[in-house]
Amino acid sequence: MNTGLFISIEGGEGSGKTTLISGLASQLSAQGYQVTTTREPGGIPIAEQIREVILDRSNTAMDGRTEALLYAAARRQHLVEKVVPALTQGHVVLCDRFIDSSLAYQGHARGIGIDEVMAINEFAINGLMPKLTLYLDVKPETGLRRIQEADGREINRLDLEKASFHEKVREGFLQLSARFADRIAVIDAERHQEEVLASCLSIIMERGQEFSQSVSK
Ligand code: TYD
């Protein structure tokens, strides 16, 4: 039976997730694997609607736990409607952000607690964890600089505040990587994107046994 291969890609802003995912998708497709790339909320209307509530700037009264519950609800719907069907067909699913984003952002950086956020997400995903998580680790200054270079603007005060928040996010991801070392691979994403892609491909291939049995070509 095909069970596919579920891989999540995590990292802070400017860590290069989007570039990596498109590189992985083209390399794996060229090798004959069927690949689904997605990101939360992944174009699933119910999940998109939930995300609009989270991102609505007029919702200033939103409590941190409410936000965490909404992310978990959107995650559930995206999982059921998009990830599970692709895995059932034996696809390699490359998902831009998953449970670890909630654990790092809401659990650690916003201070709700990793275990608390884990509990509601375990309910939401009902056992369907990624087999592998690639965490793209960059210093917040590097991520910020990359975003600014892309936008062509200077660093401002808000960016610096953001940098201290992103330092906490990074701390959260690194704690998770130590705690779930069997699942999460820490990738040095300060390197050139070609090197990052090559490292990630070789990590995926190292899991070759599991990979060849569960995915369809
Ligand atoms: P997004 O527009 O998806 O951009 P990117 O992934 O390229 O950074 O923004 C996602 C934002 O939402 C990002 O700041 C992380 C945050 N987020 C959480 O706080 N918790 C979550 O569970 C998820 C999935 C995202």
Side-chain angles (χ1 to χ4, degrees):
M1 194 192 88
N2 287 330
T3 51
L5 182 66
F6 184 18
I7 302 175
S8 61
I9 291 85
E10 298 279 5
E13 268 125 277
S15 59
K17 292 184 283 106
T18 312
T19 310
L20 172 69
I21 290 171
S22 73
L24 285 176
S26 54
Q27 296 264 352
L28 292 169
S29 303
Q31 292 181 35
Y33 295 101
Q34 292 186 287
V35 181
T36 293
T37 62
T38 189
R39 52 177 299 132
E40 295 187 342
I44 305 303
I46 294 171
E48 300 268 6
Q49 286 168 43
I50 296 169
R51 188 68 176 268
E52 273 173 34
V53 176
I54 301 174
L55 297 181
D56 186 339
R57 283 171 179 267
S58 63
N59 284 337
T60 49
M62 189 174 300
D63 170 73
R65 286 179 179 239
T66 306
E67 185 190 24
L69 285 161
L70 289 172
Y71 271 119
R75 175 161 303 127
R76 169 78 193 162
Q77 195 63 30
H78 172 246
L79 190 70
V80 168
E81 280 197 59
K82 194 158 179 187
V83 177
V84 171
L87 291 173
T88 308
Q89 290 171 39
H91 286 206
V92 178
V93 176
L94 301 173
C95 186
D96 186 342
R97 296 195 185 281
F98 196 63
I99 185 170
D100 301 295
S101 280
S102 285
L103 301 178
Y105 284 81
Q106 282 68 51
H108 186 74
R110 295 270 180 235
I112 296 173
I114 286 179
D115 290 330
E116 283 80 353
V117 177
M118 176 72 94
I120 56 164
N121 274 276
E122 277 174 343
F123 173 76
I125 68 176
N126 199 19
L128 219 159
M129 281 295 275
K131 293 237 169 65
L132 171 67
T133 297
L134 301 167
Y135 163 56
L136 302 190
D137 184 45
V138 284
K139 293 195 213 85
E141 309 90 84
T142 307
L144 189 60
R145 188 172 28 79
R146 286 178 183 166
I147 291 167
Q148 280 160 344
E149 279 168 6
D151 291 358
R153 63 180 180 83
E154 300 278 296
I155 297 184
N156 60 33
R157 189 183 51 81
L158 267 180
D159 289 328
L160 292 174
E161 273 174 27
K162 247 181 137 185
S164 74
F165 176 74
H166 287 292
E167 192 54 69
K168 292 205 85 174
V169 170
R170 182 184 187 211
E171 206 178 83
F173 276 127
L174 289 172
Q175 279 184 20
L176 292 167
S177 306
R179 178 163 163 186
F180 304 110
D182 290 349
R183 173 175 62 83
I184 305 180
V186 180
I187 311 296
D188 173 4
E190 296 275 332
R191 294 171 300 166
H192 192 272
Q193 60 194 43
E194 295 298 324
E195 288 175 64
V196 173
L197 174 60
S199 306
C200 291
L201 265 177
S202 78
I203 290 169
I204 293 172
M205 293 307 163
E206 269 169 29
R207 315 241 165 153
Q209 189 66 12
E210 182 179 39
F211 194 50
S212 59
Q213 282 171 4
S214 55
V215 298
S216 57
K217 270 195 167 184

